[in-house]
């Protein structure tokens, strides 16, 4: 039987793997691998296969722990090896911190799903604590980015919604407030579903319509896959920290 808690997260990661195989390339700014890396296209294809395979394993009971651990490591490497140096080179750039925070959240989501498959105990509690703090900090970065790039964020708001600046600011505030809730572990019963629902609404209201409008756009498919993975990560982090 497929593990339902892991489906959104694993589906997003699987789509990223499929996109990598189709394009023979890494995932745009989410995997900023330099062009001069030896055997870059081979590494890109190998990375895509590994991600798709790990995503499939993450929802299968007998393979779930291994698949979730591999995805956590995979996204963690994105954060440390690919985004870490860019943040170190431009520590004042919120855009670079945003890339790091997105990859770190996806990694934390894999760890949270792994912890959910473990019995209650010291290891599970430690994983819950570490991922909660990491996610809380990442949410603060997400919120900050909405305000620093307010006009750009407003441009992403669907055209049928009025007051795009207001929505951009409101979602930024939502990220920041839920980030504080995760850091303090206060109000998680409300903050967890709120951030999961908000991220899920981005997939449904923002990204899927953009795919429908541009079905051949690799960028739109990539953005949707990342947004779906982030939604799945938020769900896992909420469930883990409410249960523990």
């Amino acid at each position: 039987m497929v593990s339902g808690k892991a489906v959104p997260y694993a589906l997003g990661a699987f789509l990223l793997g499929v996109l990598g195989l189709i394009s023979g390339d890494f995932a745009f700014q989410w995997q900023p691998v330099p062009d001069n890396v030896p055997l870059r296209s081979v590494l890109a294809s190998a990375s895509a296969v590994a991600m798709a395979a790990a995503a499939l394993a993450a929802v299968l009971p007998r393979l779930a722990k291994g698949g979730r651990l591999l995805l956590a490591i995979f996204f963690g490497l994105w954060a440390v090896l690919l985004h870490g140096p860019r943040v170190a080179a431009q520590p004042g750039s919120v855009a670079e911190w945003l890339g790091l925070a997105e990859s770190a959240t996806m990694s934390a989501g894999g760890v949270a799903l792994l912890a959910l498959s473990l019995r209650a105990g010291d290891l599970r509690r430690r994983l819950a604590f570490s991922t909660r703090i990491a996610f809380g900090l990442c949410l603060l970065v997400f919120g900050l980015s909405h305000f620093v790039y307010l006009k750009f964020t407003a441009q992403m708001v669907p055209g049928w919604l009025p007051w795009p600046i207001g929505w951009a600011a409101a979602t930024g505030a939502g990220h920041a407030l839920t980030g504080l809730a995760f850091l303090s572990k206060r109000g998680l019963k409300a903050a967890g579903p709120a951030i999961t629902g908000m991220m899920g609404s981005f997939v449904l209201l923002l990204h899927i319509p953009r795919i429908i409008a541009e079905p051949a756009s690799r960028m739109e498919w990539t953005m949707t896959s990342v947004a779906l993975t982030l939604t799945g990560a938020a769900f896992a982090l909420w469930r883990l920290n409410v249960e523990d």
Side-chain angles (χ1 to χ4, degrees):
M1 183 179 294
V2 170
S3 174
K5 289 181 180 179
V7 168
Y9 178 85
L11 179 57
F14 180 77
L15 288 174
L16 283 171
V18 171
L19 288 169
L21 282 174
I22 293 173
S23 65
D25 197 4
F26 293 98
F28 291 118
Q29 67 263 38
W30 285 275
Q31 286 178 291
V33 178
D35 291 335
N36 60 355
V37 169
L39 301 175
R40 190 178 186 279
S41 61
V42 175
L43 289 173
S45 295
S47 168
V49 170
M51 175 170 290
L56 286 173
V59 297
L60 300 175
R62 292 186 179 182
L63 303 174
K65 290 181 181 179
R68 295 170 188 186
L69 177 60
L70 285 174
L71 287 175
I73 292 172
F74 205 94
F75 289 126
L77 289 175
W78 287 21
V80 174
L81 298 181
L82 301 181
H83 292 283
R86 295 166 71 99
V87 169
Q90 301 181 67
S93 171
V94 176
E96 297 299 346
W97 279 103
L98 178 60
L100 176 64
E102 287 176 334
S103 294
T105 294
M106 292 189 282
S107 179
V111 175
L113 283 169
L114 175 62
L116 284 169
S117 66
L118 302 176
R119 293 182 179 180
D122 188 52
L123 176 58
R124 177 164 164 155
R125 284 192 296 272
R126 277 190 260 177
L127 292 177
F129 172 78
S130 60
T131 55
R132 176 172 61 80
I133 297 301
F135 187 44
L137 292 173
C138 289
L139 286 172
L140 294 183
V141 175
F142 295 160
L144 177 62
S145 72
H146 277 228
F147 289 101
V148 172
Y149 306 111
L150 189 61
K151 290 184 178 180
F152 175 81
T153 305
Q155 293 174 6
M156 301 290 286
V157 175
W160 54 269
L161 281 174
W163 311 299
I165 290 289
W167 282 107
T171 51
H175 278 116
L177 289 173
T178 52
L180 293 174
F182 270 85
L183 288 173
S184 65
K185 205 178 180 181
R186 293 182 179 179
L188 280 186
K189 288 186 178 180
I195 190 61
T196 303
M198 186 168 71
M199 288 186 171
S201 73
F202 294 163
V203 176
L204 296 175
L205 301 179
L206 169 62
H207 294 291
I208 290 180
R210 291 169 70 99
I211 284 181
I212 294 172
E214 297 184 69
S217 171
R218 180 180 156 219
M219 174 59 85
E220 296 300 341
W221 278 100
T222 302
M223 291 174 68
T224 302
S225 301
V226 170
L228 184 57
T229 309
L230 289 170
T231 301
F235 177 74
L237 288 155
W238 158 39
R239 294 312 309 162
L240 174 64
N241 284 283
V242 168
E243 292 177 11
D244 282 78

